[in-house]
Amino acid sequence: MVVTGLGATTPLGGDMASTWAGLLAGRSGIGRIEEEWAAGSPVGIAGTLAVEPTEVLDRVQARRMDRCQQIALVAAREAWADAGAPDVDPERLAVVIGTGTGGTLTMIRQNDVLESSGMRRMSPLSVPMLMANGPAALVSIDLGARGGAHTPVSACASGAEAIALGLDLIRLGRADVVVAGGTEACVNPLVLAGFAQAKAHSTRNDEPERASRPFDVDRDGFVIGEGAGVVVLERAEFAAARSARAHALLAGAAVTSDAHHITAAHKDGQVRAMRQALATAGLTPLAIEHIHAHATSTPLGDLVETESITEAIGVHPAVTATKSMTGHLFGAAGAVGALAAILAVRDGVIPGTQNVDALDPRVKLDVVTGRPRRGALTAALANSFGFGGHNASLVFTPAP
């Protein structure tokens, strides 16, 4: 399957080019939360958007959407334009946009209105703005896609699972073009307090840009972030017929579940996801030269993934973890990670993982740290795992 369009808005930039440049520069998009509610909180840092979506979207249109919907639309429009706005039968065009939490900002704000002013003061758009399928629905409306608008909700694996579903839709003959990715905007006191109470979030408030440190021996949790990442996938024959430029090929994908624990990751499910993704791509583990790790910077999660990669693939691939710069984008994380893997394959350069002052001695992987590593790649694998035991792995190879 051909990847013809890329779009993103992240803590590093308001589009794909600036996000990629930030990753290669090793720049951090994580900073202090300036809102009043964060004062005195055990968690006061986050990766917030570099460019506000209201600077890009029509003001009236933006007011009718939750923030996660706004940024999904921004990223999808960029990806669609990057693909050359394919002339496709609307009934052969599908949308798959995943999210972990949906419109939590709207839910919190409208609940505040309800409690302070009563039901009659609530927005009549409350439900369309908070529903999890809102981003996919709005993107499908914007593009006129009538081949289905789907919403995987699988926690932090949502964006990657959306791309995997896009591949399935094309391979099953249900679509010629799929706009797929993930979105998340949940930097709010409810979500932060929940993760703080669970001891999952970093409390390194005094140095936010160094708080997310995957694979480092002193890592103490992830850093919440917001953003969206979207790709345009096309059936190879369709893309060739219109002489479309391809960034890379989505050669394989797999989705598994652990059936183990609601929050604790399990090696078995991750190993099966990677092995099944390789099988669908028709590749052996030795073909994988680069892995974009899920690696959120949690003490346990990074070790489980290390063991999974070692068992499923080996220790030979060059591994990177870009959450060290963007923070953890939850439902968008898998999509943005996929974008980084696509560009690594296309450009022959792997961004370095930042803040690895001392690699955890239990991590036996070839972790790229500091500066980018350059060199042609035959294949890359991108991992994404989520609460609930959701696992998704994607395999990308160079475009012919």
Side-chain angles (χ1 to χ4, degrees):
M1 223 53 57
V2 182
V3 181
T4 59
L6 309 175
T9 181
T10 72
L12 293 176
D15 55 24
M16 189 67 255
S18 56
T19 295
W20 183 233
L23 292 176
L24 294 181
R27 180 165 50 84
S28 176
I30 298 170
R32 289 181 175 82
I33 301 172
E34 301 298 335
E35 280 83 356
E36 184 177 344
W37 57 261
S41 168
V43 174
I45 56 177
T48 55
L49 292 176
V51 177
E52 285 296 311
T54 51
E55 296 180 20
V56 181
L57 301 174
D58 174 79
R59 182 176 300 180
V60 174
Q61 183 185 37
R63 289 180 60 186
R64 296 173 176 267
M65 293 184 284
D66 183 84
R67 188 174 178 86
C68 77
Q69 298 171 349
Q70 294 173 354
I71 60 180
L73 192 57
V74 169
R77 285 178 173 176
E78 181 190 8
W80 189 249
D82 184 49
D87 183 9
V88 57
D89 179 349
E91 296 193 13
R92 301 287 298 169
L93 171 62
V95 171
V96 192
I97 304 292
T99 183
T101 65
T104 56
L105 292 176
T106 293
M107 183 176 292
I108 290 171
R109 289 167 181 166
Q110 291 303 308
N111 185 68
D112 289 343
V113 172
L114 175 64
E115 292 188 354
S116 64
S117 305
M119 295 176 60
R120 294 186 181 278
R121 301 298 298 175
M122 288 179 59
S123 168
L125 296 175
S126 296
V127 172
M129 291 172 67
L130 66 84
M131 62 190 191
N133 64 305
L138 286 166
V139 170
S140 72
I141 292 169
D142 192 64
L143 299 179
R146 298 172 61 188
H150 308 273
T151 305
V153 179
S154 45
C156 308
S158 301
E161 186 167 337
I163 295 173
L165 178 55
L167 176 64
D168 287 344
L169 289 173
I170 294 176
R171 283 182 168 173
L172 290 170
R174 296 177 181 173
D176 293 318
V177 180
V178 179
V179 178
T183 185
E184 204 76 88
C186 59
V187 179
N188 61 61
L190 177 67
V191 172
L192 270 172
F195 282 123
Q197 288 298 97
K199 309 298 183 185
H201 201 288
S202 173
T203 56
R204 205 181 293 259
N205 295 327
D206 56 337
E207 46 181 359
E209 69 283 353
R210 293 179 53 76
S212 181
R213 42 201 318 112
F215 302 123
D216 184 78
V217 70
D218 290 327
R219 64 193 182 278
D220 71 332
F222 62 73
V223 177
I224 190 173
E226 58 181 0
V230 174
V231 299
V232 175
L233 305 174
E234 297 190 36
R235 184 167 53 84
E237 297 81 1
F238 184 88
R242 68 182 193 88
S243 301
R245 174 205 55 191
H247 295 287
L249 300 181
L250 174 55
V255 174
T256 67
S257 54
D258 293 346
H260 169 67
H261 191 274
I262 195 65
T263 58
H266 195 279
K267 184 178 69 171
D268 172 71
Q270 297 180 6
V271 169
R272 286 187 292 110
M274 286 183 263
R275 285 178 172 169
Q276 290 176 24
L278 284 179
T280 62
L283 297 175
T284 66
L286 286 176
I288 301 298
E289 295 181 332
H290 166 49
I291 294 178
H292 186 282
H294 180 65
T296 62
S297 185
T298 59
L300 180 59
D302 289 7
L303 285 184
V304 174
E305 185 175 10
T306 294
E307 295 171 1
S308 301
I309 290 172
T310 301
E311 182 173 329
I313 308 296
V315 297
H316 62 277
V319 177
T320 195
T322 59
K323 291 181 180 69
S324 57
M325 293 169 274
T326 64
H328 190 359
L329 309 186
F330 297 163
V336 173
L339 291 170
I342 290 166
L343 291 175
V345 167
R346 188 194 72 181
D347 297 348
V349 56
I350 300 170
T353 309
Q354 301 304 304
N355 303 325
V356 185
D357 296 335
L359 187 68
D360 188 324
R362 295 168 293 179
V363 176
K364 306 300 183 182
L365 303 174
D366 178 17
V367 180
V368 180
T369 62
R371 298 171 64 86
R373 184 181 300 180
R374 299 183 181 276
L377 298 169
T378 57
L381 182 144
N383 281 332
S384 191
F385 312 128
F387 277 6
H390 302 278
N391 311 295
S393 293
L394 309 171
V395 176
F396 298 98
T397 58

